[in-house]
Amino acid sequence: MASLAYLGPEGTFTHAAALALPGRGTPVPRPLVTDVYDDVAAGRADAGVVAIESSVEGYVVPSLDAIVAARDVVAVDEVTVDVAFDAFTHPDAVTPTEVTAHPHGLAQCAAWIAARGLTAVPASSNSAACRDVQPHQVALGPTLCGELYGLTTLARGVQDFAGARTRFLVVTDRGAARAELGARHDDGGAWRTMLAITPHEIGPGVLARITAAFGERGVNMSSLITRPLKAQEGTYVFVVTLDGAPWEEGVRPLLAQLLGAGDSLKTLGVFPARPGTDAGFDTSRVPAGSVRAGDDDVTLARELLW
């Protein structure tokens, strides 16, 4: 039977994502996210599921770096999971002095933590924090963790933002990905692609050249993330998410144009496009202190520092 590796132990949000993918195989927990990639690359797992982006905290950097670095692991699907945190204590709890969770979990519950003056202790996953919680700690995690690990629920819904979601990628080895995607080239669905672009020439206009190529070809770029080339100061990999698949009209000529400019390219994933779930742009989420055309001169000068 096919296996689907995920960041464990049981009860993680990644576990929930794995359970939402019944056709991908039997979920198998792994202690580290890098183990998921390694198992897929080595053939010990048929596929894996990894968190890639939080709607609150942004990209999950270790997972992003892992897929950029992986030689033969590529994403072929995605799934989104609603994220909410409960606060749990050990059955023998004493007055808590610490709070433990995955770093993204700690960040998503920062206001609740600060209000109680607790010291943050990062864990490898939220469910690992719940599994290993000590009497002097509060653990943050999904509701399921309380039942799994016999904990006492201190509070529910302690996250800073309601409606948070995390996006997960299904990854498999490149050979299997080519076979799966090749069979779906003509199914008529909409696609999205994650692409790593590494310019070999750096200097003024490099990023402008890359983004201009998308505009010239009419290809929408929905996300752009910059990651450093390891131990190469001032040089970067640009991780782009775009609308379309590499084999589609418009995208393939774009890739050829970037190659012709001397850039190195690597397709990190191709997966069906999912409809957005937000009703529209929420202006209340714009960073505090932002200005717009029409603001008075004093405000513009203060915020833009010109």
Side-chain angles (χ1 to χ4, degrees), residues 52-79:
I52 195 66
E53 185 180 17
S54 160
S55 64
V56 175
E57 288 302 303
Y59 275 85
V60 182
V61 171
S63 190
L64 181 64
D65 284 352
I67 199 169
V68 169
R71 175 64 183 84
D72 286 314
V73 178
V74 64
V76 294
D77 205 352
E78 64 176 355
V79 62

Side-chain angles (χ1 to χ4, degrees), residues 4-288:
L4 179 65
Y6 72 92
L7 175 63
E10 291 183 340
T12 60
F13 290 111
T14 314
H15 186 200
L19 293 174
L21 297 160
R24 288 288 177 181
T26 302
V28 178
R30 303 296 293 130
L32 300 172
V33 69
T34 50
D35 293 334
V36 175
Y37 286 97
D38 290 345
D39 282 2
V40 171
R44 292 187 294 268
D46 299 284
V49 59
V50 293
I52 195 66
E53 185 180 17
S54 160
S55 64
V56 175
E57 288 302 303
Y59 275 85
V60 182
V61 171
S63 190
L64 181 64
D65 284 352
I67 199 169
V68 169
R71 175 64 183 84
D72 286 314
V73 178
V74 64
V76 294
D77 205 352
E78 64 176 355
V79 62
T80 300
V81 172
D82 293 332
V83 173
F85 288 87
D86 291 350
F88 304 104
T89 56
H90 191 279
D92 301 322
V94 297
T95 301
T97 58
E98 296 179 345
V99 58
T100 181
H102 185 275
H104 271 222
L106 294 170
Q108 291 182 61
C109 303
W112 188 89
I113 294 169
R116 286 153 185 80
L118 300 174
T119 299
V121 178
S124 61
S125 70
N126 298 306
S127 61
C130 293
R131 179 196 63 194
D132 301 332
V133 65
Q134 300 300 302
H136 67 286
Q137 294 178 324
V138 174
L140 306 176
T143 299
L144 176 62
C145 284
E147 304 167 8
L148 280 174
Y149 301 113
L151 306 178
T152 301
T153 301
L154 179 65
R156 295 194 182 278
V158 300
Q159 65 277 0
D160 295 347
F161 298 99
R165 296 182 298 277
T166 295
R167 187 165 62 92
F168 297 83
L169 295 179
V170 177
V171 296
T172 187
D173 74 85
R174 195 166 291 267
R178 289 193 66 196
E180 177 176 338
L181 295 171
R184 303 182 64 184
H185 276 199
D186 301 320
D187 69 359
W191 296 90
R192 294 203 302 162
T193 297
M194 281 183 69
L195 180 70
I197 306 172
T198 309
H200 289 233
E201 298 292 334
I202 60 175
V206 171
L207 183 54
R209 170 184 60 77
I210 291 171
T211 56
F214 282 79
E216 292 165 7
R217 297 289 179 178
V219 177
N220 182 54
M221 179 193 299
S222 59
S223 176
L224 170 63
I225 302 296
T226 301
R227 297 298 300 147
L229 281 179
K230 302 307 182 186
Q232 293 286 310
E233 185 177 2
T235 56
Y236 300 92
V237 180
F238 300 115
V239 181
V240 170
T241 302
L242 59 93
D243 293 346
W247 58 84
E248 291 182 331
E249 182 178 352
V251 178
R252 185 163 182 162
L254 167 66
L255 303 184
Q257 181 174 337
L258 295 171
L259 289 170
D263 300 329
S264 289
L265 304 182
K266 180 181 181 181
T267 297
L268 306 178
V270 185
F271 34 85
R274 309 298 185 192
T277 54
D278 286 325
F281 186 75
D282 184 353
T283 57
S284 69
R285 302 295 174 88
V286 174

